[in-house]
Amino acid sequence: MKKRNKLKILNDPIYGFITIPNALVFDLIEHPYFQRLRRISQMGLSYLVYPGAHHTRFHHAIGCMHLMQNAVRVLRFKGVVISEVEEEALYIAILLHDIGHGPFSHAMEHSIVNNVSHETISLLFMEQMNIEFNGNLTLAIQIFKGEYGRGFLQQLISSQLDMDRLDYLKRDSFYTGVAEGNVNSERLITMLNVVNDQLVVEEKGIYSVEKFLLSRRLMYWQVYLHKTSLVAEQLLIRVLKRAKYLTARGVDLPASTALTFFLKNTIVAADFSDRILKIFSTLDDYDIVLAMKEWSVVADPILSRLSNMIINRDLLKVEIAQDAYAPEVLERYLGEVMETYEFTEEEAAYFVFSGSIANQAYHQNKQNINILFKDQKIVDIVKASDEFNLKALSKPVTKYFICYPKQKY
């Protein structure tokens, strides 16, 4: 019997050829849990704003693994000791770091499941796969959870300058066409080093870090928090909220088996048994899109209108301001919708709502990005930089939004 070649090469539009390092990583990629990421959008409904943004969590995970391979090579070249076992664990941890994302990413954390983060579900997937792979993921899980003795290994996976951020900024910039997010990930990785078990950036890389933080700020305002993406995600949350509401009252809505399960059951973190995890693993973007197409013609006027808004990109009007909207503004729009459609206030609230968004490119008190100077002095990037704007980037900026119908249905 011919033995299967597991040392495959993938062609990525961002980095070119990416090599799968070993058979275990190949088998993890082949696993149905990981293959599901091909059907999970990296940027949710952002394609309603940027038509090219159809890349997936699968793309992103493979890209992160590639950057981790580069980081390991650079650090070893500089004398940082990373064993082969630790190297493999890093590849596994970064490959699986987003495996718990649900359909359309973050919208699911507020609707399908009850405030269960994707990080929590990712860990559950990893622990389940560790059983299937005879404990070969144990070290990767320890690093992922921050329970392994070498801190810089976890920083490569989750910090303010990790392989996750280096990939998604560059990748999302590419697929949206927003050039401001195109960070120089190769330069940043080349400048990495380790001092006292902590990741640092050598002095020559200071300007690349400045550009990285500025790119992060611009991508959040211009892409991730774009007002159209914002209102689309809010509508999706309300679609699923309404579907759960109707299902709880005995309405039989057309949906896939997996989606029907989560509509009929309120699932919190403690409920995630192996059986529920298995059901969640069959849920992806296609379940939600198909359901919304079906729901766009149901009798319930709220669910049908909400579904049509997303399917046909006929979204709510959204306004963004520096200050919170006065309660009477919200009440006025609510009153108009209640009168026009003969809705109750609770029903009108599906179409009229307000909230806030915040952007903070850098947190000074959270796993700092430290610069290593030639005299071996280590300084936080904000203090090390002569760029005054970095101080501003470390402060949270909050804006406020209000959404309401732009025309009568």
Side-chain angles (χ1 to χ4, degrees), residues 366-384:
K366 182 182 175 183
Q367 289 185 320
N368 301 38
I369 299 176
N370 289 319
I371 305 299
L372 174 66
F373 286 90
K374 292 179 181 178
D375 61 1
Q376 300 304 299
K377 189 176 181 182
I378 297 175
V379 182
D380 178 83
I381 179 62
V382 172
K383 296 178 180 178

Side-chain angles (χ1 to χ4, degrees), residues 166-320:
L166 288 180
D167 181 80
Y168 78 63
L169 285 173
K170 193 174 185 70
R171 189 169 299 277
D172 295 349
S173 167
F174 176 86
Y175 281 99
T176 58
V178 178
E180 288 83 355
N182 187 16
V183 299
N184 191 343
S185 55
E186 184 177 352
R187 170 75 174 172
L188 284 162
I189 289 173
T190 302
M191 292 296 106
L192 291 178
N193 210 329
V194 175
V195 176
N196 297 327
D197 195 40
Q198 295 296 306
L199 212 58
V200 295
V201 180
E202 293 168 355
E203 182 182 358
K204 290 182 291 184
I206 191 169
Y207 302 119
S208 297
V209 176
E210 290 176 358
K211 169 66 165 53
F212 164 78
L213 292 175
L214 183 58
S215 295
R216 181 170 157 79
R217 174 184 180 273
L218 293 175
M219 284 293 284
Y220 267 85
W221 285 135
Q222 199 165 335
V223 178
Y224 307 128
L225 298 176
H226 188 285
K227 65 178 186 178
T228 304
S229 298
L230 169 69
V231 71
E233 182 171 296
Q234 290 294 322
L235 282 171
L236 179 55
I237 291 170
R238 283 158 177 78
V239 164
L240 294 164
K241 176 183 174 184
R242 184 64 179 179
K244 282 185 75 98
Y245 173 88
L246 294 172
T247 301
R249 280 150 186 79
V251 178
D252 188 18
L253 294 174
S256 68
T257 303
L259 181 55
T260 297
F261 175 84
F262 284 98
L263 291 178
K264 289 183 175 180
N265 297 276
T266 300
I267 304 298
V268 298
D271 296 327
F272 263 88
S273 62
D274 292 347
R275 183 179 74 89
I276 291 177
L277 191 66
K278 184 74 174 177
I279 297 171
F280 185 87
S281 74
T282 66
L283 196 63
D284 55 49
D285 290 8
Y286 297 94
D287 295 80
I288 307 302
V289 173
L290 179 59
M292 287 192 295
K293 288 172 69 177
E294 296 288 334
W295 297 345
S296 66
V297 294
V298 296
D300 181 69
I302 296 171
L303 182 59
S304 61
R305 283 191 175 100
L306 291 170
S307 299
N308 268 301
M309 284 180 172
I310 297 176
I311 291 296
N312 298 316
R313 201 192 178 279
D314 189 10
L315 308 174
L316 296 173
K317 176 78 173 176
V318 56
E319 295 180 4
I320 294 182

